[in-house]
């Protein structure tokens, strides 16, 4: 049995982080999202993996290569036009000989979930199996209508209160080859895409058995920037302590830390773990790293900096006297001295963030900013909760940012002042 990982999309809901990389290559807990899925397939016994790539595919191919260093064999198929999940699955058609498992690359699954999926297929007659999970509000998902374990219908994003159940399609499938016949008969949806759920409906209409398997194992969807923080917290909490760098005298650590090679934590620094610090980092002196902070490789954190529950990507500098709260900061940024990234609204209401141009209630009270790669801030600049700054942009000294900044933009504060000599009346 082969595994197919769908990782061709742009990840527009994750912008500006995905302007320079595929969403599945965003790192949490020290690994790209896609690597967790690859390892889940491997640990479930599936060693032959097809990656359907497209947007910025070089980042994926350069990282995983032929898969040998990860204990698998990888073949790549390029989806030249991103025309939906059925189209993506169909692009791997010539490499499929029998049954196969499909995972969306932007979810994270437990290997036991895949083992259960295979066991279900081997024990009962079926053409397709969908992994299902239960949510409180199914209105943003594909909701299944199910009788015993046989799926009767799939309803995409039903109106609130009209869903037939709280069970949703988790984006994890096991198919036999008859799915390709259904894909051949699938027409474009209203979105202009070939949806695999429409292909499954065709199978149902032809009286093929489509089963659902409810998951009680770990399944995590990563679709929007703040969800990176949730996933990062999960994985950092599960990691074993591993200290390979240097810790100077006078450092206080409560809880576990991961400290990479050639990294140093300088005297006076206070850490509340769990905290992840990559390779080649320089921390302190006198810095304060709070729970669930993730620092990538070659990150510098200066004197008297406080970082709380944030992801700081490779090569970024957070300079002295700065505060970063509940934020995602891209690679190769420079956060100047005295920069404050706030994470709590003055009125204590939920933070809102623009996703694809529309304000979205994130459902959480504490959320800072999202910076794309190569952002620079000036000294004593401030960022209100929920703002995003595009790649290659710079914000001048003393500026207060309360709305999103596009990429490749310079923001300067207009200041008026008067010089008065002491002897003037």
């Amino acid at each position: 049995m082969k595994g197919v990982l769908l990782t061709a999309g742009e990840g527009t809901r994750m912008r500006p982080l995905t302007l320079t990389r595929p969403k599945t290559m965003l790192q949490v807990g020290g690994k790209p999202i896609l690597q967790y899925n690859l390892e889940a397939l491997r640990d479930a016994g599936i060693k032959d993996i097809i990656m359907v790539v497209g947007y910025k595919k070089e980042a994926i191919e350069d990282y995983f290569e032929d898969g040998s260093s990860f204990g698998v064999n990888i073949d790549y198929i390029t989806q030249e036009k991103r025309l939906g999940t059925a189209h993506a699955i169909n692009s791997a058609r010539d490499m499929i000989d029998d049954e196969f498992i499909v995972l969306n690359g932007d979810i994270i699954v437990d290997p036991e979930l895949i083992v259960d999926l295979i066991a279900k297929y081997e024990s009962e007659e079926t053409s397709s199996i969908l992994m299902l999970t239960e949510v409180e509000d199914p209105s943003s998902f594909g909701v299944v209508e199910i009788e015993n374990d046989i799926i009767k219908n799939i309803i995409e994003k039903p109106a609130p209160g009209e869903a037939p159940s709280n069970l949703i399609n988790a984006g994890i499938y096991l198919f036999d080859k008859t799915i390709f016949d259904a894909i051949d008969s699938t027409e474009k949806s209203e979105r202009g895409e070939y949806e695999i759920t429409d292909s499954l409906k065709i199978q149902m209409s032809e009286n093929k058995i489509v089963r659902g398997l409810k998951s009680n194992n770990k399944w995590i969807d990563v679709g929007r920037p703040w969800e990176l923080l949730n996933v990062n917290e999960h994985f950092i909490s599960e990691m074993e302590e591993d200290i390979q760098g240097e810790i100077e005298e006078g450092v206080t650590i409560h809880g576990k830390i991961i400290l990479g090679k050639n990294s140093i934590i300088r005297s006076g620094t206070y850490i509340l773990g769990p905290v992840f610090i990559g390779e080649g980092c320089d921390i302190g002196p006198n810095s304060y790293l709070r729970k669930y902070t993730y620092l990538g490789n070659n990150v510098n954190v200066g004197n008297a900096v406080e970082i709380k529950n944030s992801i700081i990507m490779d090569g970024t500098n957070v300079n002295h006297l700065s505060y970063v709260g509940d934020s995602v900061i891209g690679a190769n940024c420079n956060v100047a001295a005295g920069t404050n990234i706030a994470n709590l609204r003055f009125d204590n209401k939920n933070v809102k963030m623009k996703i694809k141009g529309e304000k979205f209630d994130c459902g959480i009270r504490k959320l800072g900013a999202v910076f794309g790669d190569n952002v620079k801030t000036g000294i004593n600049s401030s960022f209100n909760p929920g703002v995003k700054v595009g790649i290659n942009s710079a914000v001048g000294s003393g500026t207060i940012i309360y709305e999103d900044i596009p990429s490749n933009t310079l923001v300067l504060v207009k200041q008026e002042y008067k010089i008065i000599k002491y002897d003037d009346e």
Side-chain angles (χ1 to χ4, degrees), residues 239-290:
M239 298 177 80
E240 297 294 328
E241 183 163 88
D242 183 15
I243 299 174
Q244 300 186 42
E246 178 183 354
I247 302 175
E248 290 186 346
E249 291 186 14
V251 173
T252 300
I253 300 175
H254 294 284
K256 65 183 176 182
I257 67 168
I258 294 89
L259 181 64
K261 296 177 183 177
N262 302 315
S263 289
I264 183 169
I265 304 175
R266 300 187 182 276
S267 182
T269 296
Y270 194 101
I271 297 177
L272 288 177
V275 164
F276 183 105
I277 301 170
E279 298 182 0
C281 296
D282 193 328
I283 313 301
N286 306 312
S287 295
Y288 180 23
L289 302 184
R290 295 169 63 180

Side-chain angles (χ1 to χ4, degrees), residues 135-171:
V135 296
E136 289 185 9
D137 179 11
S139 60
S140 298
F141 302 93
V143 181
V144 302
E145 188 175 342
I146 193 167
E147 188 176 303
N148 295 322
D149 67 345
I150 296 179
I151 295 175
K152 299 299 184 180
N153 196 13
I154 304 172
I155 304 165
E156 287 296 328
K157 299 181 180 179
E162 295 185 7
S165 74
N166 283 352
L167 287 173
I168 66 165
N169 174 14

Side-chain angles (χ1 to χ4, degrees), residues 11-249:
T12 53
R13 291 185 300 168
M14 278 287 189
R15 286 180 177 169
L17 301 171
T18 52
L19 291 172
T20 47
R21 61 180 69 78
K23 177 171 70 171
T24 56
M25 290 304 290
L26 290 167
Q27 293 208 5
V28 289
K31 299 177 186 177
I33 294 169
L34 189 57
Q35 185 174 338
Y36 288 102
N37 283 335
L38 181 145
E39 291 175 349
L41 287 169
R42 178 199 65 196
D43 294 346
I46 296 176
K47 302 297 178 66
D48 293 319
I49 295 173
I50 301 165
M51 288 192 181
V52 180
V53 295
Y55 177 72
K56 297 192 180 297
K57 64 179 182 178
E58 296 80 12
I60 296 171
E61 293 173 357
D62 290 347
Y63 184 87
F64 291 102
E65 298 180 325
D66 65 359
S68 57
S69 59
F70 299 90
V72 297
N73 307 306
I74 298 177
D75 288 303
Y76 297 95
I77 295 291
T78 301
Q79 187 187 15
E80 298 291 352
K81 295 181 179 180
R82 267 73 80 188
L83 297 177
T85 49
H87 182 264
I89 293 167
N90 198 49
S91 66
R93 185 176 196 152
D94 292 342
M95 305 187 73
I96 300 296
D97 299 320
D98 45 28
E99 302 84 9
F100 62 105
I101 287 177
V102 176
L103 303 181
N104 288 331
D106 58 355
I107 61 175
I108 297 177
V109 302
D110 191 293
E112 287 302 314
L113 185 150
I114 299 171
V115 171
D116 292 346
L117 198 62
I118 295 170
K120 178 78 169 178
Y121 181 81
E122 291 176 345
S123 64
E124 299 190 47
E125 180 186 356
T126 186
S127 294
S128 300
I129 306 177
L130 284 70
M131 188 61 67
L132 309 176
T133 193
E134 197 165 13
V135 296
E136 289 185 9
D137 179 11
S139 60
S140 298
F141 302 93
V143 181
V144 302
E145 188 175 342
I146 193 167
E147 188 176 303
N148 295 322
D149 67 345
I150 296 179
I151 295 175
K152 299 299 184 180
N153 196 13
I154 304 172
I155 304 165
E156 287 296 328
K157 299 181 180 179
E162 295 185 7
S165 74
N166 283 352
L167 287 173
I168 66 165
N169 174 14
I172 306 163
Y173 312 91
L174 195 156
F175 299 118
D176 65 18
K177 290 193 69 175
T178 63
I179 192 63
F180 295 118
D181 297 327
I183 289 173
D184 288 340
S185 300
T186 301
E187 297 180 355
K188 282 186 178 180
S189 66
E190 292 181 359
R191 299 194 303 174
E193 296 184 352
Y194 298 99
E195 312 279 1
I196 194 61
T197 49
D198 289 339
S199 305
L200 288 163
K201 289 178 183 178
I202 290 171
Q203 284 194 319
M204 295 176 210
S205 70
E206 295 173 346
N207 295 318
K208 289 188 168 58
I209 299 174
V210 178
R211 296 186 186 272
L213 175 62
K214 183 178 176 181
S215 167
N216 294 314
N217 291 304
K218 184 173 64 187
W219 172 88
I220 307 172
D221 185 23
V222 191
R224 294 160 296 196
W226 59 91
E227 290 169 346
L228 287 173
L229 297 175
N230 298 335
V231 177
N232 186 66
E233 175 182 334
H234 173 82
F235 283 110
I236 289 179
S237 297
E238 285 194 340
M239 298 177 80
E240 297 294 328
E241 183 163 88
D242 183 15
I243 299 174
Q244 300 186 42
E246 178 183 354
I247 302 175
E248 290 186 346
E249 291 186 14

